[in-house]
Amino acid sequence: MRVDVLTIFPEMFTGFLNTSIIKRAREQGHLTVNLVDIRDYARNKHRSVDDYPFGGGPGMVMQAEPIFLAVEALLPGAGAVRPPIILLSPQGEVFNQALASELARQERLILICGHYEGVDERVRQFLVNREVSIGDYVLTGGELPAMVIIDAVTRLLPGVLGDPAGATEDSFAMGLLEYPQYTRPRSFRGLEVPEVLLSGNHEQIRLWRRQQALERTWRRRPDLLAKLELSPEDRRLLVDIIRRAENEELQGE
Ligand code: 4HQ
């Protein structure tokens, strides 16, 4: 996959792109990131890309022209098929695992990182074809959201994670939160690993993990559970979890 990132702070991406799995994905040719400095498309001698808002008000607004020119320099011309041209903004559809897998199926993405109080509305109306938010909070720019999207999408690209189960076996891919994990030592400051995980009984371990994942999701994210199609086994486990929780409530923990 090729990702073009339009930003006035390309240096924010260097640590991210040169670390761990993202670095390896780039080295192995699964991911190509082309950083475009929007300032290179400013046509004034101070290379400024922002201006005061028409109608007044606080802050500055990113101008349309440098962003249009930067995108147009990446695309073959009118009539051609446009890849997703995504503006990162709190007004967009909220990013989640389903959107990550949709984007991972694309050959190319163009990500536009805004700054200041936002971007000229004509960018939204006539240049971008998607707007994505990474959550309901206000950041200083779209660079961190762009990195979040690149990160979540890259790990879904074929060949990026050694074990293909790794990408799908985790919580959000399955719609449940993760079960608790432990590694050596068995005893740490007197805190023991649950006996079942040392038993070697793989069916018992599978059931325990499933029960833990269901219980965690029920307690912390019941909204996720409500969306799921549960198997008969899951239903039995969940009925048990709820029954035990109600008993503990009656007895005061
Ligand atoms: N931004 N998800 C860029 C965000 C944001 C978010 C605030 C984007 C400022 C200029 N982007 N503007 N949350 O907070 O994507």
Side-chain angles (χ1 to χ4, degrees):
M1 167 179 276
R2 169 183 166 132
V3 185
D4 303 287
V5 181
L6 278 61
T7 172
I8 57 170
F9 297 118
E11 65 278 10
M12 281 184 73
F13 290 81
T14 49
F16 168 66
L17 292 175
N18 292 301
T19 303
S20 187
I21 293 169
I22 302 300
K23 179 188 190 183
R24 198 182 62 209
R26 291 176 58 234
E27 288 169 348
Q28 295 180 343
H30 301 295
L31 173 70
T32 302
V33 178
N34 174 38
L35 295 171
V36 176
D37 188 340
I38 295 170
R39 277 190 204 286
D40 291 346
Y41 294 88
R43 295 196 302 135
N44 58 82
K45 75 167 187 283
H46 292 108
R47 305 220 306 156
S48 72
V49 294
D50 62 331
D51 208 335
Y52 301 97
F54 276 122
M60 302 293 271
V61 177
M62 280 182 88
Q63 293 173 298
E65 184 180 64
I67 299 175
F68 270 74
L69 289 174
V71 170
E72 284 157 3
L74 294 169
L75 295 176
V81 283
R82 288 183 166 232
I85 305 174
I86 300 172
L87 177 67
L88 288 316
S89 140
Q91 297 162 64
E93 62 180 303
V94 179
F95 190 62
N96 61 18
Q97 193 64 31
L99 183 49
S101 43
E102 183 188 335
L103 297 179
R105 284 179 242 122
Q106 302 286 329
E107 266 174 61
R108 185 177 187 186
L109 301 175
I110 298 178
L111 304 180
I112 302 176
C113 308
H115 253 271
Y116 313 110
E117 302 310 305
V119 307
D120 188 296
E121 187 65 17
R122 289 164 289 192
V123 167
R124 204 169 261 119
Q125 285 183 301
F126 302 111
L127 187 65
V128 312
N129 48 30
R130 290 196 90 146
E131 207 169 333
V132 174
S133 166
I134 63 158
D136 294 338
Y137 37 80
V138 182
L139 302 169
T140 60
E143 284 76 14
L144 287 167
M147 288 186 248
V148 165
I149 289 172
I150 293 168
D151 194 279
V153 166
T154 299
R155 63 184 288 290
L156 297 178
L157 299 177
V160 167
L161 296 189
D163 165 26
T168 50
E169 207 178 270
D170 55 60
S171 52
F172 270 104
M174 300 197 315
L176 290 180
L177 299 184
E178 294 250 279
Y179 52 75
Q181 306 227 61
Y182 298 86
T183 187
R184 292 192 287 183
R186 293 175 55 148
S187 178
F188 167 70
R189 299 184 182 178
L191 306 171
E192 303 296 326
V193 170
E195 195 65 37
V196 60
L197 298 178
L198 313 171
S199 68
N201 184 332
H202 297 293
E203 177 57 13
Q204 286 257 52
I205 291 168
R206 185 193 66 78
L207 260 180
W208 180 84
R209 286 179 167 166
R210 192 72 192 168
Q211 184 271 332
Q212 290 287 312
L214 284 163
E215 177 157 356
R216 264 201 181 169
T217 309
W218 177 69
R219 289 186 186 279
R220 300 184 186 189
R221 294 295 305 278
D223 57 310
L224 295 180
L225 261 193
K227 294 180 201 165
L228 278 183
E229 280 261 22
L230 294 179
S231 68
E233 177 184 274
D234 285 343
R235 296 185 166 282
R236 273 183 270 115
L237 288 168
L238 203 54
V239 165
D240 241 62
I241 289 161
I242 295 168
R243 197 175 34 72
R244 270 188 289 103
E246 283 167 351
N247 278 328
E248 275 165 19
E249 174 128 82
L250 282 174
Q251 294 168 29
E253 206 68 29

